[in-house]
Amino acid sequence: MLASINTTATVAADVEEAAAAVDGAENGNTPNVENEPPEPVPELCRSSRVKGYLLLLVSASLNFEVVLRLHRKQDYFVNTDIKELNWCRVLDNPAGSFLDFVVLRRLSSKDKVRYAMAASCMTIIISGSAFLCSIDLFTILRKTLWPKVLGPNKKVELCILSFLVIIWLVTVWFNTTIRGVAGEGSEQYNLYFTSWLCLWITFWTLERWFVSSGKSSFEKFLNSWPNRCKLWIVTFILSFSDFLFVLDAMKNWDEGTEANPYVNEMFASISHHEWGFFFDVTIITFMISLAWIVVEIFRRNKKEGSALKSDVENYVEGILLHLIALLWIVLIFFVTMPGHSASLIGNLYFTSWATCFSILATLIWWLRDWRKDIADTINDQQAEYERAKRAVLRREEKRLAKARREKVESEAVDADESNNLDDIVEEGEEGAGEDIVDDDITVSVASVSGNRARTDTLDSTEDQRSVCFSARSLFTSSERD
């Protein structure tokens, strides 16, 4: 949590410094027509790069102290006369004394030690000077010279930091490889870690300069890549570094471990198959990661410029990630075991583990996106099902509404017909007093019609006979009257 707060504060300070630099460049820090005082020059002591210079000064001092001790021991055993040695201690443990003499004398060549001393001395001088110039609050140069040399968009500071990064890239290679003064088996842990620390601090300080200058930094460069390409870039850097360290150790382990018989014997017992497997896995990893970077560079997507991958590309990437992750898990299991190629504290150990973690992080990212795609597909299908269900419900509601309307209309028609029939009956009852025969005939015909409606299953011949019989009876009754 404290680290995140510190990082946030550093970024905020860099942003404020960049804004101040832009304002200063636009306004020119000159008085206007109204003779107002110029804007104050931003203080360099508030810059986040001051932390970088201070840390670089401390780490380079530690590195120089370790190299100086190593140089003094080397010069002592090389230049000391044999008469000055304590022969009592030598005769008491002749094997151990001879081993100490050989190890300390052959620990490093003079050229490598001198180069390490030169690099640390240059770093101490440059970082110390930059730190003192940044915290200068009393001399007149704080307003005239130092803001022109150090600060955002100042080429002098950019050249200084770039030079330090290049110097420590070379120094780390010479110090920490298997033939270096802090390589595998040398047990020079202080020199090893301070060398890498100096490289990291110089790169971090250069990164802060880019941020404060409002330029594209390495972090922005990584975040600008689409999909999982940022982790592919990290994997490429780590696997390529591991490839170089493996190649150097495989070719020069005999020369680099002459001073330590135990380490030399351990490397001699490593089979060629292990070296070959280690070498092949690193090559496969950085070649595949480079291929995916190139794919993202030359991608031309038709969907409004969005960098979306096709399903086939996602499947291929997932298969390759699973295969590479399996290879690295097996590789780490073997090479980091005691007595194997990456078992000692050094470049092979750390870069192998870092590459493995990078591959696993990329695989986890792919699995997360894969699960997200599956969830999106399920949600789309669910939404489509809901839309179809709502359409069916609307169609069913329309059908039921239409059926209800038809039922109401049929009921209205039946009601009209029944009302018409009632009117006819009422009219017949009103004319009953005027003509008895006609009333009887009307009643008989109405009864016959009712009988015909109730007896639909009778034949037509039977209906005619019943009508004739009813008519004859009616005439007979009228004659009697």
Side-chain angles (χ1 to χ4, degrees):
M1 181 176 178
L2 292 176
S4 62
I5 294 174
N6 190 13
T7 304
T8 305
T10 301
V11 173
D14 293 333
V15 172
E16 292 178 358
E17 187 178 3
V22 172
D23 294 338
E26 293 177 352
N27 299 327
N29 288 330
T30 57
N32 53 15
V33 180
E34 298 178 356
N35 295 326
E36 293 182 356
E39 295 182 0
V41 178
E43 298 180 357
L44 295 176
C45 61
R46 299 179 181 274
S47 173
S48 61
R49 297 185 303 282
V50 176
K51 301 177 184 178
Y53 290 128
L54 180 60
L55 291 175
L56 186 59
L57 177 63
V58 174
S59 59
S61 301
L62 293 175
N63 187 275
F64 176 76
E65 192 269 338
V66 175
V67 177
L68 184 61
R69 284 188 180 183
L70 186 62
H71 180 70
R72 288 176 178 176
K73 288 181 181 180
Q74 186 181 31
D75 288 343
Y76 175 78
F77 279 95
V78 171
N79 299 324
T80 301
D81 188 10
I82 194 170
K83 295 180 180 180
E84 298 180 4
L85 295 175
N86 190 341
W87 286 101
C88 294
R89 297 178 63 182
V90 172
L91 293 175
D92 182 62
N93 187 9
S97 300
F98 179 75
L99 180 62
D100 293 339
F101 175 78
V102 172
V103 169
L104 292 174
R105 189 181 67 178
R106 295 186 179 181
L107 188 63
S108 172
S109 64
K110 283 188 176 181
D111 295 336
K112 295 178 181 179
V113 174
R114 288 173 179 174
Y115 177 79
M117 291 179 63
S120 57
C121 285
M122 285 190 297
T123 305
I124 290 173
I125 294 172
I126 294 174
S127 60
S129 301
F131 177 73
L132 292 177
C133 294
S134 299
I135 63 174
D136 183 15
L137 299 176
F138 305 102
T139 65
I140 193 173
L141 297 177
R142 74 182 188 277
K143 295 182 179 180
T144 57
L145 181 61
W146 306 145
K148 297 180 180 179
V149 176
L150 304 176
N153 297 311
K154 299 300 183 291
K155 302 299 182 182
V156 176
E157 187 175 9
L158 175 62
C159 293
I160 291 172
L161 292 174
S162 301
F163 172 74
L164 290 176
V165 169
I166 295 173
I167 284 293
W168 278 105
L169 277 173
V170 179
T171 304
V172 163
W173 175 263
F174 283 117
N175 285 354
T176 62
T177 53
I178 197 166
R179 291 181 295 176
V181 293
E184 284 83 356
S186 63
E187 297 182 354
Q188 297 293 329
Y189 302 122
N190 290 336
L191 181 60
Y192 178 85
F193 289 110
T194 53
S195 299
W196 278 106
L197 184 60
C198 288
L199 176 60
W200 179 80
I201 292 174
T202 53
F203 184 80
W204 182 85
T205 310
L206 181 61
E207 179 82 358
R208 293 301 96 197
W209 184 89
F210 279 109
V211 173
S212 63
S213 300
K215 301 182 182 297
S216 178
S217 61
F218 183 72
E219 183 180 0
K220 292 181 180 179
F221 170 75
L222 285 180
N223 293 329
S224 64
W225 289 83
N227 302 316
R228 290 167 290 276
C229 194
K230 62 174 70 176
L231 278 182
W232 281 118
I233 295 174
V234 175
T235 303
F236 171 75
I237 295 173
L238 294 175
S239 59
F240 186 72
S241 302
D242 200 15
F243 162 74
L244 294 178
F245 294 141
V246 170
L247 182 62
D248 180 70
M250 185 172 60
K251 297 295 183 181
N252 303 310
W253 64 265
D254 194 10
E255 179 184 354
T257 58
E258 287 179 351
N260 196 330
Y262 168 75
V263 179
N264 188 276
E265 183 180 358
M266 185 199 74
F267 277 101
S269 63
I270 298 173
S271 63
H272 295 285
H273 300 288
E274 180 177 341
W275 284 116
F277 181 62
F278 204 169
F279 186 75
D280 294 339
V281 170
T282 53
I283 289 179
I284 292 171
T285 303
F286 85 78
M287 289 298 292
I288 291 177
S289 58
L290 179 61
W292 285 111
I293 295 171
V294 173
V295 167
E296 293 295 340
I297 291 175
F298 294 99
R299 181 186 301 279
R300 291 183 180 275
N301 201 292
K302 297 180 181 180
K303 296 183 178 180
E304 299 179 356
S306 61
L308 296 177
K309 291 186 176 182
S310 62
D311 293 337
V312 176
E313 190 175 356
N314 282 322
Y315 295 151
V316 173
E317 185 181 8
I319 293 172
L320 291 177
L321 278 173
H322 281 84
L323 292 177
I324 296 174
L326 181 62
L327 287 175
W328 274 99
I329 290 173
V330 175
L331 178 67
I332 289 294
F333 178 78
F334 282 106
V335 299
T336 57
M337 295 291 287
H340 290 269
S341 56
S343 59
L344 300 177
I345 299 297
N347 292 335
L348 291 176
Y349 182 83
F350 289 112
T351 53
S352 299
W353 274 110
T355 307
C356 183
F357 285 137
S358 178
I359 288 292
L360 293 178
T362 310
L363 178 60
I364 292 172
W365 192 350
W366 182 87
L367 291 173
R368 185 185 62 183
D369 291 343
W370 178 58
R371 292 183 59 188
K372 183 179 179 181
D373 293 338
I374 293 176
D376 293 339
T377 303
I378 293 174
N379 292 332
D380 293 339
Q381 293 178 353
Q382 186 69 23
E384 184 178 0
Y385 169 74
E386 293 293 335
R387 288 193 297 269
K389 184 172 70 173
R390 287 193 295 268
V392 171
L393 290 175
R394 286 194 298 268
R395 189 166 56 249
E396 186 67 18
E397 290 176 356
K398 291 180 180 179
R399 189 185 66 80
L400 294 175
K402 183 178 179 181
R404 285 194 297 268
R405 288 195 302 270
E406 292 177 352
K407 184 178 179 181
V408 170
E409 291 176 357
S410 62
E411 290 179 352
V413 171
D414 294 338
D416 293 338
E417 292 178 354
S418 61
N419 293 330
N420 294 331
L421 185 59
D422 293 338
D423 295 337
I424 294 170
V425 173
E426 290 177 357
E427 292 176 357
E429 291 178 353
E430 290 177 356
E434 298 177 356
D435 190 356
I436 299 175
V437 178
D438 294 337
D439 293 338
D440 293 336
I441 293 173
T442 302
V443 174
S444 299
V445 173
S447 62
V448 170
S449 299
N451 292 329
R452 290 183 64 185
R454 288 189 298 268
T455 57
D456 295 330
T457 57
L458 296 177
D459 297 330
S460 61
T461 56
E462 294 179 358
D463 294 338
Q464 293 175 359
R465 291 175 183 176
S466 61
V467 172
C468 295
F469 178 75
S470 299
R472 189 181 299 113
S473 61
L474 290 174
F475 283 110
T476 305
S477 60
S478 62
E479 291 176 355
R480 290 177 182 177
D481 295 335

